[in-house]
């Protein structure tokens, strides 16, 4: 602790393909509190399949966001994800964390399909209090190139990177902090973004599996344009619930079916387990979770209780922190950046 106590803020920056979002968390009090929120749409195709096609434009958007909240952009935590990040549960000989850090590169070599010299590794011991000879470790390997690109994007935007985190961990972190009731049994956290849906399956709060489905709100918008002859703007108004459309339900049901198939595939391994426990409920986040009728359609499709996750369930928002953002509407989209900002760097 410093001489003047803790006075720390972390800024979680989520560079999504639809919206760039920042959530600032103040860690100086007894519990973390949100001190600023801002978000801005990205021009179509600035980011495609997770790849930044127009770094200058994305950097400008980040710079504007920090200007809007009046912060210089210190301690910024951003996320990486997608195909070039491997998250795997492995077993290794039981040892303490610092010993494990020494040998993790060697252990990882057997599990990571990339050249081990070109990856950044991290891990978490899942059963630190266990007594067996072996321990369960969650191993993360991200291609170094991916991390380097993210760091240089932040530097181009004039902000200073405090850490780069894996997106699935940030979601998990924010989810477990806000929804302790979901840390029992098997649940799926499904983050439906603009381009990609991340599925996280948890058992008693521990991550069992994460998977990405190539589906997002953009597809619903495109379907609306093609099938209903709407312009992109009109279709986006329907997706965001500002305009109504009579037979939207049919289209949303088929979108929910696609997400449902993805969740079923991701959770198929549960069927082979001896104890026979299947998915108990679904929590939704991301802008796609706000498409009118989506949560109900997915709940019906899966025959499971399906509710929205709320990043501010247990994290108070300071007065005035939300700025121009309508928090009630945007909350599901802010789970990931909140998870990033919960980290103290
Ligand atoms: N009230 C809303 N405000 C903004 N976007 C909304 C709203 N309701 C639904 N959406 C949809 O959510 C999308 C953004 O969701 P989100 O921020 O989770 O995606 P992203 O992180 O940008 O995308 P990805 O993770 O796939 O790269 C928008 O493109 C929009 O279609
Ligand atoms: Mg996203």
């Amino acid at each position: 602790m410093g001489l003047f106590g803790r006075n720390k803020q972390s800024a979680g920056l989520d560079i999504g393909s639809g919206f760039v979002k920042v959530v600032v968390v103040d860690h100086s009090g007894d519990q973390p509190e949100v001190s600023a929120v801002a978000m801005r749409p990205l021009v179509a195709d600035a980011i495609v399949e997770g790849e930044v096609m127009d770094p200058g434009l994305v950097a400008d958007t980040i710079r504007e966001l920090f200007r809007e909240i009046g912060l210089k952009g210190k301690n910024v935590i951003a996320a990486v994800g997608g195909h070039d990040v491997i998250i795997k549960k492995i077993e290794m000989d039981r040892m303490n964390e610092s010993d494990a850090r020494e040998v993790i590169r060697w252990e990882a070599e057997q599990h990571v399909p990339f050249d081990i010299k070109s990856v950044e590794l991290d891990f978490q011991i899942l059963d630190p209090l266990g007594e067996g000879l072996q321990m369960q470790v969650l191993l993360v390997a991200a291609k170094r190139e991916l991390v380097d690109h993210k760091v240089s994007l932040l530097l181009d935007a004039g902000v200073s990177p405090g850490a780069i985190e894996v997106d699935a961990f940030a979601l998990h972190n924010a989810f477990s902090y806000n929804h302790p009731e979901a840390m029992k049994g098997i649940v799926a956290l499904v983050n439906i973004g603009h381009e990609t849906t991340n599925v996280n399956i948890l058992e008693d709060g521990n991550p069992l599996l994460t998977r990405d489905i190539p589906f997002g709100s953009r597809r619903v918008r495109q379907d609306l344009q093609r099938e209903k002859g709407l312009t992109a703007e009109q279709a986006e108004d329907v997706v965001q619930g500002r305009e109504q459309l009579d037979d939207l339900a049919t289209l949303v049901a088929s979108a929910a079916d696609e997400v449902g198939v993805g969740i079923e595939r991701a959770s198929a391994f549960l069927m082979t387990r001896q104890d026979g426990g299947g998915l108990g409920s679904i929590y939704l986040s991301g802008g796609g979770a706000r498409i009118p009728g989506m949560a109900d359609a997915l709940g019906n499709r899966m025959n499971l209780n399906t509710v929205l996750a709320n990043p501010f369930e247990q994290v108070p928002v300071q007065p005035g922190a939300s700025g121009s953002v309508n928090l009630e509407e945007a909350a599901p989209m802010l789970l990931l950046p909140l998870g990033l900002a919960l980290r103290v760097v």
Side-chain angles (χ1 to χ4, degrees):
M1 196 199 281
L3 278 177
F4 304 99
R6 289 196 304 161
N7 180 19
K8 284 217 101 169
Q9 293 199 325
S10 300
L13 174 67
D14 175 11
I15 307 167
S17 58
F19 275 78
V20 182
K21 303 160 284 280
V22 61
V23 173
V24 181
V25 167
D26 179 350
H27 292 279
S28 60
D30 295 340
Q31 59 165 337
E33 291 184 355
V34 173
S35 57
V37 177
M39 57 193 276
R40 282 186 185 214
L42 264 188
V43 175
D45 300 333
I47 297 183
V48 178
E49 286 174 27
E51 199 178 330
V52 180
M53 306 308 244
D54 192 338
L57 204 139
V58 178
D60 285 347
T61 306
I62 297 171
R63 195 174 298 117
E64 284 158 16
L65 275 179
F66 279 93
R67 195 177 302 141
E68 182 180 329
I69 58 177
L71 287 181
K72 288 229 167 67
K74 284 198 315 190
N75 303 332
V76 176
I77 307 163
V80 291
H83 303 302
D84 290 338
V85 177
I86 303 278
I87 303 174
K88 208 167 171 182
K89 208 156 139 182
I90 64 170
E91 276 202 344
M92 57 188 273
D93 291 345
R94 184 165 294 283
M95 60 186 81
N96 66 31
E97 190 179 327
S98 68
D99 289 344
R101 203 157 286 284
E102 299 277 312
V103 298
I104 197 71
R105 192 158 287 273
W106 185 83
E107 285 286 341
E109 206 152 21
Q110 311 162 49
H111 300 282
V112 175
F114 314 137
D115 175 9
I116 201 74
K117 289 201 265 331
S118 67
V119 298
E120 297 284 351
L121 294 173
D122 200 0
F123 67 96
Q124 191 190 338
I125 300 172
L126 293 175
D127 56 346
L129 304 173
E131 284 173 353
L133 290 173
Q134 299 278 298
M135 61 181 187
Q136 306 276 328
V137 172
L138 196 65
L139 175 71
V140 186
K143 281 199 183 160
R144 185 166 296 132
E145 203 183 70
L146 198 66
V147 178
D148 289 348
H149 280 164
K150 197 63 69 157
V151 169
S152 55
L153 185 60
L154 298 190
L155 294 174
D156 284 351
V159 302
S160 58
I164 304 291
E165 171 90 86
V166 174
D167 56 9
F169 284 11
L171 284 168
H172 176 248
N173 196 15
F175 181 53
S176 53
Y177 195 94
N178 283 289
H179 291 281
E181 81 284 359
M183 300 300 119
K184 275 202 227 79
I186 304 180
V187 306
L189 171 62
V190 180
N191 180 58
I192 309 176
H194 176 73
E195 227 186 21
T196 305
T197 294
N198 324 102
V199 181
N200 262 299
I201 297 183
L202 282 66
E203 182 175 33
D204 296 336
N206 289 316
L208 276 184
L209 178 136
T210 89
R211 172 133 336 148
D212 287 349
I213 309 171
F215 173 86
S217 60
R218 186 182 62 179
R219 267 270 286 299
V220 176
R221 187 185 72 201
Q222 287 169 340
D223 288 350
L224 282 167
Q225 287 177 252
R226 202 184 47 241
E227 289 175 27
K228 308 288 174 195
L230 303 185
T231 65
E233 289 73 28
Q234 289 170 327
E236 191 58 38
D237 282 345
V238 173
V239 165
Q240 299 193 16
R242 287 191 294 264
E243 286 294 332
Q244 311 231 318
L245 191 75
D246 283 347
D247 45 355
L248 180 64
T250 323
L251 213 136
V252 171
S254 82
D257 184 56
E258 185 159 349
V259 175
V261 169
I263 299 172
E264 276 168 358
R265 288 201 182 129
S267 58
F269 75 102
L270 295 170
M271 314 274 266
T272 63
R273 302 199 332 172
Q274 305 275 312
D275 54 11
L279 268 187
S281 55
I282 297 176
Y283 285 77
L284 289 183
S285 65
R290 289 206 68 263
I291 298 171
M294 187 60 159
D296 286 345
L298 187 63
N300 289 337
R301 163 67 175 75
M302 299 297 288
N303 201 15
L304 287 172
N305 184 36
T306 301
V307 293
L308 291 191
N310 176 12
F312 311 116
E313 191 72 28
Q314 303 285 338
V315 187
V317 179
Q318 294 173 354
S322 56
S324 62
V325 177
N326 175 342
L327 267 202
E328 209 167 320
E329 259 191 29
M333 302 166 70
L334 300 171
L335 191 68
L336 198 157
L338 184 273
L340 293 168
L342 279 179
R343 207 169 136 178
V344 182
V345 287

